[in-house]
Amino acid sequence: MKKKHIFLMMVALTYCFMGYAQNNAQEWGNFARYKQQNEALPDDKGALKRRVVFMGNSITENWVRMHPDFFTENGYIGRGISGQTSYQFLLRFREDVINLSPAIVVINAATNDIAENTGPYNEDYTFGNILSMIQLAQANGIKVILTSTLPAKGFGWNPNIKDAPQKIISLNKRLQDYANKHHIPFVDYYTKMVDNSMQGLPSQYSEDGVHPTIDGYNIMETIIKPIIDKELKKRR
């Protein structure tokens, strides 16, 4: 009877896996998203000396879409993919960052980790994924600028998450402590963008409480650009 039970469990798992594979024909990291753009990038020394890659999720992807001039005029390259977590960032980090030979990578992560887009949130794992990206960049001579996770009171696509603000605050403190200890520039979007309740993004900076509006991106640009300029100047 026990053997029959195990056999039935294995059959069920096999069908579950087959269904998952059929519904996930696109590979998990989505390497194809920027493949053509990556191949088309110039590789002359002038472009590489000022190349800055923004690694992120929909917050980064929307930024490029809503204010493309900020990227093109400054030689910045957006490599955000909507919905992705730090696990997926790490998977595609070589293709979308290292192989582009930028001077700087700006890492903005963890919103979708906390929203549990790819599984239960574990701060240690998310923190470890971000550290791995930092170490990979540094091993390849790429300067890292680490940024805070943006405020979010909750996530409309996963209302079961009730403690997002506390998780964001905890992770941001850990990231900032690490950055300070290891002399990595840390960009604190959070403090400048959190609402008066210290819970999420205020309505003037976001329509859904997670993704910035153009006004929100304007605030982010005033924070990040001087730090990028300072770091690029050091590398001349």
Side-chain angles (χ1 to χ4, degrees), residues 28-48:
W28 198 59
N30 198 356
F31 293 110
R33 173 65 177 83
Y34 292 107
K35 186 175 186 296
Q36 291 185 343
Q37 292 96 318
N38 289 345
E39 292 173 349
L41 287 172
D43 58 1
D44 61 278
K45 289 184 179 180
L48 296 178

Side-chain angles (χ1 to χ4, degrees), residues 173-190:
K173 182 181 186 306
R174 197 167 175 183
L175 292 173
Q176 187 165 18
D177 288 346
Y178 180 88
N180 292 340
K181 182 178 179 180
H182 294 273
H183 309 290
I184 296 169
F186 183 80
V187 177
D188 183 10
Y189 296 136
Y190 181 92

Side-chain angles (χ1 to χ4, degrees), residues 2 5 37 42 89 164 215 221:
K2 186 176 180 181
H5 179 67
Q37 292 96 318
F89 291 10
D215 289 337
E221 288 168 16

Side-chain angles (χ1 to χ4, degrees), residues 55 86 89-90 93 107 109 129-137:
M55 186 67 167
S86 65
F89 291 10
L90 183 56
F93 198 77
I107 300 174
N129 291 339
I130 295 170
L131 260 57
S132 293
M133 287 187 278
I134 291 170
Q135 292 162 357
L136 282 168

Side-chain angles (χ1 to χ4, degrees), residues 34 107 117 231 233:
Y34 292 107
I107 300 174
N117 281 21
E231 293 304 321
K233 190 174 180 180

Side-chain angles (χ1 to χ4, degrees), residues 135-164:
Q135 292 162 357
L136 282 168
Q138 291 172 336
N140 286 274
I142 302 167
K143 180 69 180 181
V144 175
I145 295 178
L146 190 58
T147 72
S148 64
T149 303
L150 267 62
K153 188 174 182 179
F155 310 102
W157 63 94
N158 189 356
N160 294 322
I161 308 300
K162 306 296 185 183
D163 55 354

Side-chain angles (χ1 to χ4, degrees), residues 44-166:
D44 61 278
K45 289 184 179 180
L48 296 178
K49 281 178 65 176
R50 71 185 193 98
R51 178 170 294 166
V52 179
V53 175
F54 282 64
M55 186 67 167
N57 48 45
S58 58
I59 292 168
T60 299
E61 188 172 22
N62 290 348
W63 195 348
V64 179
R65 179 177 57 81
M66 294 174 70
H67 196 182
D69 289 349
F70 177 67
F71 288 81
T72 56
E73 291 175 1
N74 291 293
Y76 301 160
I77 296 169
R79 289 297 179 261
I81 297 182
S82 179
Q84 284 202 342
T85 63
S86 65
Y87 300 88
Q88 292 161 304
F89 291 10
L90 183 56
L91 191 62
R92 65 182 176 91
F93 198 77
R94 181 166 298 279
E95 297 300 321
D96 286 343
V97 179
I98 295 172
N99 289 352
L100 308 187
S101 301
I104 294 172
V105 61
V106 179
I107 300 174
N108 180 257
T111 295
N112 292 323
D113 294 52
I114 294 168
E116 300 192 345
N117 281 21
T118 55
Y121 176 64
N122 183 307
E123 184 181 291
D124 289 340
Y125 294 165
T126 295
F127 181 70
N129 291 339
I130 295 170
L131 260 57
S132 293
M133 287 187 278
I134 291 170
Q135 292 162 357
L136 282 168
Q138 291 172 336
N140 286 274
I142 302 167
K143 180 69 180 181
V144 175
I145 295 178
L146 190 58
T147 72
S148 64
T149 303
L150 267 62
K153 188 174 182 179
F155 310 102
W157 63 94
N158 189 356
N160 294 322
I161 308 300
K162 306 296 185 183
D163 55 354
Q166 293 81 7

